[in-house]
Amino acid sequence: MLQMPSSFTPLITAQSHPDPLTFVFHGSRLLLREADLAMPCADELVRLNLAGAPHPVGLLGERYCQTFWCDNEELALPGYAWRSMRSLFGALDEDLLSVAGRASQIAEWARTHRFCGACAQPMQLKAGERCYVCGACGMMAYPRISPAMMVLIRKGDHVLLALHTASSAKRFTPLAGFLEAGESVEEAVHREVFEEVGLRVHNLQYFSSQSWPFPHSLMIAFTADYLDGEIRVDPSEIIEARWFGPHDEWPERVPHFSVSTILVDAHRPA
C-alpha cells in the first residue's frame, strides 16, 4: 500500500547534500527521465533555472530529499517528461513513490501559498515549522490535508460496493466521501451512506488509514453493518450500487496501492 517507508525520516529544515533526490512538480505531475524514470541530478537542476529555494522533504535512508514546484511546463531538458503520479503505480519503486506523494503535497502547499489568502501580501516561511506566515496580517498557512471517509458495508456474507460517477477506473469500490466542516468521521460515514445509497448502518469499526496525495487527501477506512433501508442511489454520485456475496463475480483484484483495495480484499471470498 502507498505509505511512508520505515527508512524515511521527515525533515523541516533544509540540509546541504552534494546529490539530493529532487522532486520537481508542475501541478500534480512529476519530472522524470523517460528512459529510466530517474529524477534530475544536481547539474540538470541548475539548467532548469527553477525559481526560489527547494523545500526539504526528508531522508530516504541516507539520501536527502527535497522538492520544487515549477510554473513552466515547457522545460528545455531533453529526455525528460512530466508524469502523473497515478501513472507511476507499478512503474516506480514503491518507497520512492510514497516519498514522491509527500513531496507533491509540500510542493502544492508552497505553490498555492506564495501570497496571503486574507490580504494578498507575500508569505514568508516560519522557522522550525512547515508553515507560511503573512508579515502584514499574521495569517498562517499549513499544508492542507483533506480527510475523507471510506466504508465497506456488510450484510451477512455480502458487502456493498458501488460504481462512482467520478471513478476513472470504472471499478466497483467501497463508498467514500469528504468530511464536512464540524463533522466527525463517524458522522460523515452515516451521512454519506444515506446520501449516496439510502441505507442506514451501525457497528462502525475502524479499519485503516492512508495518505492519498491526489492532491492532499487522508483516507480513513471503516467497516459497518447494514441496519435498514433499500438501495437508492444518488445519480450525481453513484452509477450503480449492489451487494456482492460468495457466489457473485467480484471486481477484478488489483495491486495494493490503496486502502480501498486492501479493504475489499479483506472481505473477498476465498
Side-chain angles (χ1 to χ4, degrees):
M1 188 172 71
L2 188 63
Q3 58 187 354
M4 299 308 300
S6 59
S7 60
F8 178 78
T9 304
L11 294 174
I12 293 177
T13 304
Q15 294 189 0
S16 177
H17 195 283
D19 186 26
L21 194 59
T22 304
F23 301 88
V24 181
F25 289 93
H26 174 73
S28 61
R29 294 182 296 163
L30 178 62
L31 185 66
L32 293 171
R33 192 160 57 207
E34 293 179 282
D36 56 4
L37 299 182
M39 278 161 278
C41 65
D43 290 341
E44 291 168 320
L45 287 174
V46 174
R47 292 164 53 193
L48 287 175
N49 195 29
L50 296 168
H55 285 264
V57 177
L59 294 173
L60 182 57
E62 300 297 321
R63 192 81 180 273
Y64 176 63
C65 304
Q66 60 184 11
T67 188
F68 275 102
W69 59 267
C70 176
D71 273 339
N72 181 18
E73 186 177 12
E74 304 297 329
L75 291 176
L77 199 58
Y80 280 80
W82 298 107
R83 290 285 301 270
S84 73
M85 292 285 291
R86 289 182 184 272
S87 74
L88 297 174
F89 285 133
L92 199 64
D93 174 81
E94 288 185 24
D95 287 353
L96 196 58
L97 185 60
S98 295
V99 178
R102 186 185 186 99
S104 71
Q105 295 180 74
I106 294 172
E108 180 66 4
W109 162 73
R111 184 186 73 84
T112 56
H113 290 90
R114 288 171 281 176
F115 300 96
C116 177
C119 70
Q121 295 301 305
M123 300 282 272
Q124 303 294 327
L125 283 171
K126 185 178 181 181
E129 290 190 56
R130 187 85 71 190
C131 177
Y132 274 109
V133 180
C134 177
C137 73
M139 191 191 83
M140 295 190 295
Y142 293 88
R144 178 179 175 183
I145 300 174
S146 304
M149 52 104 320
M150 175 178 294
V151 62
L152 189 73
I153 304 171
R154 302 177 298 201
K155 185 180 182 183
D157 58 1
H158 287 63
V159 300
L160 185 85
L161 298 175
L163 184 59
H164 294 75
T165 58
S167 170
S168 57
K170 300 304 178 189
R171 183 181 295 115
F172 281 87
T173 61
L175 299 178
F178 286 102
L179 273 67
E180 295 185 353
E183 193 174 49
S184 71
V185 187
E186 292 82 2
E187 289 168 339
V189 170
H190 289 288
R191 175 184 55 78
E192 286 283 355
V193 168
F194 188 75
E195 289 178 355
E196 293 190 351
V197 294
L199 302 180
R200 291 199 303 157
V201 296
H202 64 156
N203 296 336
L204 270 64
Q205 296 290 324
Y206 171 77
F207 180 80
S208 185
S209 67
Q210 178 190 26
S211 173
W212 194 242
F214 302 104
H216 36 59
S217 297
L218 172 64
M219 302 301 300
I220 308 166
F222 290 83
T223 61
D225 292 330
Y226 167 83
L227 182 60
D228 60 34
E230 298 294 330
I231 295 176
R232 172 189 46 77
V233 302
D234 175 1
S236 67
E237 297 280 349
I238 304 294
I239 298 173
E240 181 185 357
R242 58 189 174 91
W243 298 103
F244 287 80
H247 304 296
D248 295 312
E249 182 179 353
W250 280 54
E252 178 186 4
R253 180 178 272 110
V254 297
H256 284 169
F257 292 119
S258 73
V259 67
S260 173
T261 62
I262 294 179
L263 180 58
V264 171
D265 278 0
H267 295 81
R268 189 184 293 270

